Amino acid sequence: MTATRPPANDSHANSPHGEIYSPAMDEAEFDARESTSRRSWILLASVIGALLLAAIVILKAYAPGTRDGGEPPRILADTSPYKSAPENPGGAQTPNQDKSVYDVISGETRNDDVTLAPATEEPIKVEPTPNAATVIVKKPEVVTPKPVTTKPAYVPVSKPVPAAPAVKVGNGDYVVQVASLRSQAEANESWTKLNKKLGDIIPSALFADIKRADLEGKGVFYRLRVSGFADKAAAKTFCASLKSRKQDCIVVKK
C-alpha cells in the first residue's frame, strides 16, 4: 500500500497538533499589503498637513484685525499736504470782461444813435381875453352840524353828615363802652382806629378809659370805654352820635 502526501498548498490540512493553519503568503501578496499601508499613512499625513496649512492661512488673515488687550489703538494723522498751490495763481480769465454793454461779443462796436429825451417843458402862461367865458364858482354850502345832546353823567349826591350835637364834658360818673377785647394792646389799637374813623364827632376833651375785667368761666377782657362826660345825659348824647355812624356802644357807670 502506497502512502500519499497531502498537497503543500492545501489550506484545510491539519497541523502536527491537529490545528488548522494558513499557508505562508507569497512575496507579491506581502508587497501589495505593504504598499496599501504606506499609501494610507501618506494620505493621512497629507490631510493633516492640509489642515495645518489652512489653520496658518486663517491665522494670518485675521491677525491684522486683532490687537493685544493692553495696547490701545493708535490713529495716525495724515502726513500728506492738505493745501496745494493752484496751477494758475491769477485765477480763471473770463473772456469779454472789457466789453461795454453795447459792444458785440465778436469785438465789433455798434454805432447806434442815442436820442435824448427832451427837457421838461415850462408851463405856458395864458393871458385872459376879454371874450373869455366867465367861470362862476359857487361857494360851498356850509352845513351846520346839529348840536348833540348828551345826558349829563350821573353824579351821586352824598348825603350831608349831620353835625354831632354838643357834648358836655367833665368828670362825671358815666362812660360810653365801645368794645371788649382780649388784650391791652388790642384795646389801644381799637381806640386809635375809632379816632381815625369818627374823629369829627369825638371831642378832644374825651379820652380812653380801659378797664380790665376777669369774667368767671370766660377769661380776662379789656373793656374800651370813652370817658370825660359831665353827666349821664352827655354820655347818652355821645352814644347816640356813635350809633348814627354804625358804631355800637352802651352807657355804663364807672
Side-chain angles (χ1 to χ4, degrees):
M1 184 174 181
T2 304
T4 59
R5 296 177 60 186
N9 294 331
D10 191 358
S11 60
H12 298 284
N14 295 329
S15 63
H17 302 284
E19 297 178 355
I20 300 175
Y21 70 97
S22 295
M25 294 183 293
D26 56 359
E27 294 180 358
E29 186 177 358
F30 179 81
D31 293 338
R33 288 194 176 187
E34 287 291 330
S35 177
T36 301
S37 176
R38 190 180 299 109
R39 284 200 302 269
S40 299
W41 280 105
I42 292 173
L43 180 60
L44 179 60
S46 300
V47 171
I48 293 174
L51 291 176
L52 290 176
L53 182 61
I56 292 173
V57 171
I58 293 174
L59 290 177
K60 290 291 184 180
Y62 284 94
T66 60
R67 67 175 188 269
D68 296 335
E71 181 181 359
R74 293 185 298 171
I75 301 175
L76 300 179
D78 188 7
T79 57
S80 59
Y82 65 95
K83 288 185 178 181
S84 59
E87 296 180 359
N88 187 6
Q93 297 295 331
T94 303
N96 302 316
Q97 289 295 309
D98 55 345
K99 302 297 181 181
S100 59
V101 177
Y102 297 102
D103 289 344
V104 184
I105 300 300
S106 61
E108 298 179 359
T109 304
R110 296 168 55 184
N111 297 324
D112 296 339
D113 295 333
V114 179
T115 303
L116 300 178
T120 305
E121 297 181 357
E122 296 181 357
I124 301 173
K125 295 181 180 180
V126 179
E127 298 293 338
T129 59
N131 296 329
T134 305
V135 179
I136 300 175
V137 180
K138 293 183 179 181
K139 295 182 178 181
E141 297 180 0
V142 179
V143 179
T144 304
K146 295 181 180 181
V148 179
T149 57
T150 56
K151 295 182 179 181
Y154 173 74
V155 178
V157 180
S158 58
K159 295 181 180 180
V161 179
V167 177
K168 295 173 63 176
V169 295
N171 192 16
D173 294 334
Y174 290 89
V175 295
V176 176
Q177 181 174 324
V178 295
S180 181
L181 305 167
R182 282 292 189 177
S183 66
Q184 177 80 27
E186 291 179 355
N188 292 331
E189 184 179 358
S190 180
W191 172 246
T192 302
K193 291 181 179 179
L194 186 65
N195 276 275
K196 289 182 179 179
K197 180 181 179 182
L198 305 174
D200 56 330
I201 62 174
I202 301 176
S204 59
L206 301 181
F207 55 92
D209 182 8
I210 300 174
K211 182 179 180 181
R212 183 179 185 276
D214 190 357
L215 303 180
E216 185 178 356
K218 295 183 179 180
V220 178
F221 288 86
Y222 292 84
R223 295 170 178 172
L224 174 59
R225 307 182 302 177
V226 183
S227 183
F229 302 101
D231 50 21
K232 186 177 182 179
K236 285 185 178 182
T237 302
F238 179 74
C239 186
S241 299
L242 293 180
K243 288 182 179 180
S244 67
R245 301 285 290 273
K246 308 298 182 181
Q247 174 63 47
D248 292 336
C249 59
I250 56 173
V251 179
V252 295
K253 197 172 184 179
K254 289 183 181 180

